[in-house]
Structure formats: C-alpha cells, structure tokens
Amino acid sequence: MPVTYESAVNNLLALGHELASNRKFDLAHMRRLAEALGNPQRKLQSVLIAGTNGKGSTAATLASIVQTAGYRTGLYTSPHLLRVNERIQINQEPISDAEFAVIYDRVEGCAHELVERGELPWHPSFFEMLTAMAFEYFASAGVELAVLEVGLGGRLDATNIVDPLISVITDIDFDHQNFLGNTLPEIAREKAGILRPKGTVVLLPQHPIVNETLGKEIMTRDAHAVSAVKHMPSMTPVAENGLSSRVAVGHNQFTLAVMGKEIKVDFPLAGRHQLRNLALAITTAEELNTLGFHVSAEDIGRGIRLVRWPARFQVIPPEDGFPEVVLDVAHNPAGAWALRSALSTFYEDRPLTFIFGAMRDKAIGEIADILFPLADRVIATQAENPRAASPQEIAELGARAQTDILRAKSVLEALERARMLAGSKGVIVITGSIYIVGEALGILARKPARQGA
C-alpha cells in the first residue's frame, strides 16, 4: 500500500525531537544511511552554512541569487513555520506532498532494512531522515547547487556529510549550550566543524574570542578564509538614502559596489543585523564565480530583491481593524538583541503589545530582560509543542522586566486579546519560538482580509 503524505509526516513526527533524546550525535550513522541510498549527497554541489543566528536568512538569500543566475537551486533549512515541506525547496518551491511521500518511502525503506540487519543501532532521527530526504530529492531532481543550513552545531550535524564547495559561518553566540558547550570558544569549534582542509570559508569578524577560535581552526585546516566585510554598507541604509525610519521599515535599501559595478540593493529582510547575512550571501555568490558558476552583479541585485524568508522582522500593515503586526523569530538572547534594535529604530514612539512564547530549554529569563521592557504589555502563550514553556512559566521567568504580563492558553487567544488591547496606533509584535510565529502566521493567513498581506 503506497505511503500517503499524511502518514509520512505522522511517522516522522513520531520519531520525536532530537534535543529531547539522550542519543549521542554520530555522523557514522548518517553516512551509513546515505550509503544505503547510493550517497545522493555526493551527486550534489553544495554550500554549507553554520552559525547561531542568521544562517537561514543567509541561505535563503544565497539560494535566491543563484536561482536568479539561472541555476536549479535546492534550499534545505530548519525548522519550518507552517508545513514541513518548507524545509526542502527547489527554486523557492517546497517539495510537493506527493514527492514528499515518495522520497520518505524510499528513505524509510533503507532505514528499516539497516536496523533489521543490525547495521544501525536504532532508527534514524527526525532530522537525519529529513536531511537524507533532502539529499535524495535534490539529487533525483537534478539540482545544480544545494544551499544547506546546518541544523545544530556543525561538526556532528547530519548535513555535515556533504563535501561543500564553500563553507559559511554566520554570527556565533550562546544557544544549545548543553549540546555545544558552555563557552563561546567551545561553540565556535563545533560550528567550525563544517570547514574542510584547504577549503574556502566565508565569514565576518565578530566577538574577539570567536574570531580567535575560528582563526585557529582555519589555520589548522589550511583553509582559505574570505571576509565579507567589503559588502557591508558604510552607513545605515536609512541615513544613506535620507529616508525616514517609517518609510524604510520592512526593507534594507542602499547602493553597493559588487564585482566592479554599483547595484541598488532592495533587501526585503529588515534590520541592521540582516546586513551581515546579506554580505555573507553576496560574498559567497562572488566566490561561486571562481568555481565555475556564472553569477553577475545584476543577478545578485535581482536575487536580493526576490528573497522570500518569512517571519524575520516581517511587517503586516494594519488592515480592517487589525493593528500593524511584526513577526520575528527571536529564540535566543542574540536574536532578542537584534529584534530590540530593529524595534527601537522603526517603532520608537509606537505602543507595542508583545505576544511571546518559547521552548522550555531556551534562555527565557534573559530574552525577557532584553525585550519585555520595550512593551506596554506582554501576552505570554504557548505553541502546540510538548517542549513549550507554559504561560505561567514565562510570566515567572519574565517578572524581572517589570512589564505587565498577561497569559493566553493559545496563540489564537493571544492574537484576539492583542488586537483588542493594541488599539489603532499600536503594534503587535509576535516573537520568541518559531513555533509561536508559525502558528500566528497560519492564523493571520486564514483571515480573509489578510490574504494579500
């Protein structure tokens, strides 16, 4: 009996979340699964992107640029906002339900046989299965470049069985310390696990301790480091264009010299922090030219304009009695600081109502200390996820911020309360876990008046 899309998704979800298990991460298991599939990852040319924050935005931007240059481009990211299909895309189109079921059946068949024969000690995890599915799908569909976002860390991540043309490292900060280490050097070493001997790595200067650690790892591997500093604008886009912050909200707009030409950048991912991700993507696109890909300055400009990466300071204008909404995934302290900076730039004089939820294993108290003081009120809620912190837990952990914290049992209830409380001039900010933001996006998309937002 053929596997259906619904059964495939349910079977994958039944495997549980990697972070909730006591298994040790081991690339040998992932390599064995890939070998049973015929090593589809070896049929792909790829770029591998690791980091704490910004790797998804960097990946989506690079994939859009390469697609614009005429290449069939795969994009593998995690987690998803609304549907698991979003994680596996070709030319910005998620894998179809039918293809998802077929690829799942193929990978599951191999996994089952390996466990039955004792060649794997246990069934591959949710993320290992999806990563193998992405490799198999991209290889079977003739993808010319796969842009791959590392799931967790780098060194032992399931994506790290590829041999990337280029490795990219985005900003590194504290997150998942129980898996990656309790210090920045420890975390940086794990991220640097995606570097290859004599390979190319694109990166930007960041925390001095991180710079020192990455420098040692690059030297150890005799890798070629390429700085993306040259593609950072010299001043804030708002000042450079003489635009008021209200006009610029939702976009980064400026001119930039790329490959000997001046292009007009209109980047639909807002916030100063996104300029770092953009610089990494542009620099990586330039490096691909040295490896046989043909990407022009015009391709880069157009690819930047066509990026689609929701819930990264995504602004939905006020409509039909519903206030302006900002959606942003800020699930760790570094992400919270980036959101705080963007809100202070664009909404300094507007009353803010936050809807916030997070997973229980996140630094909720620290995130609350950073973000909650900006808000007139916070509505604490929880996603439909067993790892989610309860509204009561969030209220207790966020109490130090001395902001009024209300509680809602669901994202839907939180949205209704926020709409009533924000007022016509207020702004609703939905943030924290990607699961909270994803549920909110789904609810907002079902409102008939908001389909075009």
Side-chain angles (χ1 to χ4, degrees):
M1 184 176 176
V3 173
T4 65
Y5 170 77
E6 290 74 17
S7 65
V9 172
N10 289 336
N11 290 343
L12 285 167
L13 293 174
L15 295 173
H17 198 285
E18 273 85 347
L19 302 187
S21 73
N22 293 318
R23 291 184 191 175
K24 283 188 70 176
F25 295 103
D26 188 344
L27 284 188
H29 299 158
M30 186 64 195
R31 290 193 179 101
R32 184 67 194 92
L33 175 60
E35 184 183 6
L37 289 165
N39 283 314
Q41 80 283 1
R42 293 182 184 170
K43 302 169 187 174
L44 299 170
Q45 298 198 88
S46 62
V47 172
L48 188 57
I49 302 175
T52 305
N53 289 306
K55 56 186 186 288
S57 298
T58 303
T61 304
L62 176 61
S64 182
I65 291 169
V66 176
Q67 177 190 343
T68 300
Y71 294 95
R72 189 165 174 79
T73 308
L75 175 64
Y76 179 58
T77 58
S78 62
H80 58 274
L81 279 166
L82 298 173
R83 304 183 81 228
V84 69
N85 307 50
E86 297 165 22
R87 297 176 181 232
I88 304 172
Q89 301 183 23
I90 295 177
N91 286 358
Q92 298 195 31
E93 287 295 326
I95 184 172
S96 70
D97 292 359
E99 289 166 317
F100 189 98
V102 168
I103 297 292
Y104 166 80
D105 193 30
R106 196 179 304 164
V107 176
E108 171 60 27
C110 284
H112 180 76
E113 286 183 16
L114 291 171
V115 174
E116 284 284 301
R117 296 201 300 261
E119 295 181 41
L120 283 180
W122 45 64
H123 192 284
S125 68
F126 174 86
F127 188 74
E128 287 169 335
M129 286 290 290
L130 276 176
T131 303
M133 288 172 62
F135 292 158
E136 182 70 12
Y137 179 54
F138 291 159
S140 65
V143 158
E144 294 171 278
L145 183 75
V147 181
L148 310 170
E149 177 191 357
V150 167
L152 176 68
R155 182 175 63 92
L156 296 176
D157 189 78
T159 58
N160 200 29
I161 66 168
V162 300
D163 187 17
L165 296 172
I166 301 171
S167 301
V168 182
I169 297 182
T170 67
D171 289 344
I172 292 173
D173 215 304
F174 290 103
D175 203 6
H176 299 301
Q177 287 96 310
N178 50 333
F179 292 95
L180 304 180
N182 293 310
T183 68
L184 285 177
E186 288 176 315
I187 296 169
R189 277 192 290 272
E190 288 296 317
K191 307 290 185 184
I194 70 165
L195 303 183
R196 297 295 184 265
K198 297 189 181 298
T200 297
V201 56
V202 175
L203 70 175
L204 278 166
Q206 40 186 306
H207 192 288
I209 295 176
V210 172
N211 292 338
E212 181 181 353
T213 303
L214 292 178
K216 289 178 180 176
E217 296 296 321
I218 289 167
M219 289 179 64
T220 298
R221 292 167 176 80
D222 193 21
H224 171 52
V226 180
S227 173
V229 166
K230 61 183 175 180
H231 292 132
M232 288 290 296
S234 58
M235 52 173 65
T236 65
V238 169
E240 187 171 313
N241 285 276
L243 300 172
S244 73
S245 59
R246 296 294 303 132
V247 174
V249 67
H251 281 260
N252 275 306
Q253 298 171 325
F254 53 98
T255 57
L256 188 69
V258 175
M259 300 170 68
K261 295 184 178 180
E262 190 173 87
I263 64 171
K264 290 184 178 180
V265 172
D266 185 0
F267 192 35
L269 304 185
R272 182 72 183 171
H273 62 288
Q274 287 290 1
L275 299 180
R276 293 178 61 81
N277 306 325
L278 176 61
L280 290 167
I282 294 172
T283 305
T284 305
E286 279 192 344
E287 285 301 307
L288 285 171
N289 269 305
T290 68
L291 299 170
F293 288 79
H294 300 287
V295 183
S296 68
E298 291 78 12
D299 294 329
I300 290 172
R302 186 162 180 266
I304 290 167
R305 287 195 301 275
L306 296 177
V307 175
R308 295 203 304 267
W309 195 236
R312 277 67 179 182
F313 209 79
Q314 178 181 351
V315 178
I316 300 177
E319 188 176 84
D320 241 23
F322 210 97
E324 187 166 347
V325 176
V326 175
L327 302 108
D328 189 84
V329 177
H331 56 81
N332 56 38
W337 280 115
L339 174 57
R340 178 172 176 144
S341 173
L343 289 171
S344 298
T345 298
F346 297 122
Y347 295 105
E348 185 178 13
D349 300 321
R350 303 278 296 279
L352 305 179
T353 297
F354 276 34
I355 295 175
F356 180 85
M359 297 297 104
R360 194 174 283 112
D361 59 347
K362 294 295 183 175
I364 296 172
E366 190 176 348
I367 295 169
D369 288 346
I370 296 165
L371 286 178
F372 288 10
L374 295 183
D376 286 39
R377 65 191 65 84
V378 174
I379 303 174
T381 189
Q382 66 186 106
E384 295 177 7
N385 187 299
R387 294 171 50 231
S390 70
Q392 175 65 27
E393 289 171 318
I394 291 170
E396 291 172 0
L397 291 166
R400 282 188 316 222
Q402 298 185 333
T403 301
D404 190 18
I405 302 177
L406 312 176
R407 300 169 203 168
K409 294 178 182 177
S410 68
V411 175
L412 177 61
E413 181 186 328
L415 271 170
E416 289 303 316
R417 292 188 71 179
R419 182 179 64 83
M420 298 290 292
L421 293 168
S424 59
K425 294 184 178 180
V427 179
I428 298 174
V429 180
I430 305 168
T431 189
S433 164
I434 194 167
Y435 301 103
I436 291 286
V437 177
E439 283 187 34
L441 265 178
I443 293 165
L444 292 170
R446 289 195 294 272
K447 291 180 178 293
R450 313 200 63 72
Q451 291 293 336

